[in-house]
Each structure stands twice: as C-alpha cells, then as structure tokens.
Amino acid sequence: MSRTTVKKAIADFDAAQLRELLLDIYGKSKEAKELLDFFANPDIPTKLEEYKKPLSKEINRYVRRAHRPRIPKIRALHKKFATIEPGDEAIADLMVFTIVELCTVATDDWFKDSTNEAINKLFLETLNYLQPRMLLDEYLPRLTKVINGMKDFRYYKNPLREILLDTLYRFQLDIH
C-alpha cells in the first residue's frame, strides 16, 4: 500500500478516530511505539545512550577467538536511530562513537581484511555525513586522535590504522 492510498483512506477520519488509530498502532508496533514515545518526550541524550549500548555490544562481538563486528547490523542501528529524527548532531555523535569504538577495539586486536574494508567504508560515510552539516571541525580532531592512537602490532603495522589514515588524507585533499 502506498502513502497516497493511506492518505486517502484516513482523509475522512475525524480527530477521535485518528487518536484511536494512533493508539492502536502504538499498541501493535514496536517501531511505532518507539517513534511515538520519542515524539511525546524527545529526550535525545537518553535515546543516544540507549542506542550506544547495542552498538557497543555489536562492536565488541567476539566469535571464534576474534572480534567480529557485523557492519550491516551497525548500519541498521544508525538508520533506525535516524528514523526518529533526533537531529544532525545526535546522529553524527552516534556515527563518530561507532568509529571511535571500532578503533579502540582494533588497537588491541585485529580484524579480518574484509571487516577493515567495511569499517573504512563506514568511516568514509561518517566523514561524508559530517562535512555538509558543518560538523567536521567539531569531530575531526577526535577521529584523528583515536586513529593516530592505534598502536602497531608486534611485527607489523596496524592495517586498519593505515587504511583509515589513507582515507582521511584523501578526504582532506578532496575538500581543500
């Protein structure tokens, strides 16, 4: 069913019928409940912390003696958070939190090459989100610090750090 069809279907509803419909939807859909709760009480810091917990759990996911974060799940959490429309700063904060956490885990452990590439793509998406919203100056020092703080492993350089530094360098060349 399309949005136009729904709009036509509810066009003849009066205020009481619309309220009843909203309450029915509220009771039946978990996503609608979350959206309407946030609409009624828009507490952005609490909602942000609520989303950071499952993100942190996913980032620190440990399977078969190695960290195995699932980047599609992380993206899904970002997208779900953005659907409640908390504002650009809150979304940016969540995206930067994700990159910082991933870099923190990669400081002490390594990821597979495919995971490193997916993290790099997520990092580039974060930079591309920050730039048009004029949030790059606020978050770039934090990102640079955490990437530079990633230590090398015993016999070779940290591959994620090298990839992210290269992406950051290319991104800065593109915007200047």
Side-chain angles (χ1 to χ4, degrees):
M1 187 180 302
S2 70
R3 184 181 178 133
T4 308
T5 309
V6 173
K7 191 174 181 179
K8 286 178 185 177
I10 64 173
D12 296 330
F13 284 21
D14 64 3
Q17 289 173 317
L18 285 174
R19 280 190 208 96
E20 190 63 35
L21 179 64
L22 271 175
L23 290 175
D24 284 347
I25 292 170
Y26 181 84
K28 293 178 181 175
S29 172
K30 189 176 180 181
E31 290 83 17
K33 182 180 185 328
E34 181 180 7
L35 185 62
L36 291 169
D37 282 342
F38 185 74
F39 180 74
N41 184 18
D43 188 7
I44 294 172
T46 303
K47 192 55 88 172
L48 190 59
E49 289 304 315
E50 187 180 311
Y51 274 83
K52 283 182 178 180
K53 287 178 185 175
L55 266 175
S56 186
K57 185 177 178 182
E58 185 61 41
I59 291 166
N60 289 296
R61 184 173 169 266
Y62 203 78
V63 177
R64 296 185 184 162
R65 297 184 302 262
H67 283 95
R68 302 269 191 258
R70 294 174 291 195
I71 304 302
K73 292 257 184 187
I74 291 171
R75 274 199 183 89
L77 284 167
H78 287 178
K79 186 175 180 181
K80 187 177 176 187
F81 184 67
T83 59
I84 63 169
E85 297 178 1
D88 291 341
E89 290 228 1
I91 295 169
D93 194 25
L94 191 70
M95 293 175 88
V96 170
F97 168 80
T98 302
I99 299 299
V100 168
E101 287 292 306
L102 286 164
C103 289
T104 303
V105 169
T107 297
D108 298 324
D109 200 358
W110 63 89
F111 295 125
K112 295 188 317 183
D113 289 341
S114 60
T115 305
N116 284 340
E117 290 301 322
I119 291 170
N120 184 43
K121 187 175 176 185
L122 187 66
F123 177 61
L124 190 57
E125 288 171 9
T126 301
L127 292 175
N128 286 328
Y129 183 84
L130 296 173
Q131 194 217 354
R133 291 162 180 82
M134 304 300 191
L135 296 171
L136 208 52
D137 291 338
E138 181 180 343
Y139 290 105
L140 195 58
R142 183 172 162 201
L143 290 169
T144 305
K145 182 179 178 183
V146 76
I147 292 169
N148 286 328
M150 294 170 68
K151 54 187 175 184
D152 288 331
F153 299 116
R154 189 170 194 171
Y155 297 111
Y156 59 95
K157 294 182 182 231
N158 189 323
L160 182 60
R161 186 179 87 200
E162 298 300 314
I163 292 169
L164 294 180
L165 284 174
D166 184 51
T167 300
L168 186 60
Y169 177 72
R170 289 180 189 188
F171 183 80
Q172 288 175 334
L173 284 178
D174 287 345
I175 62 172
H176 291 301

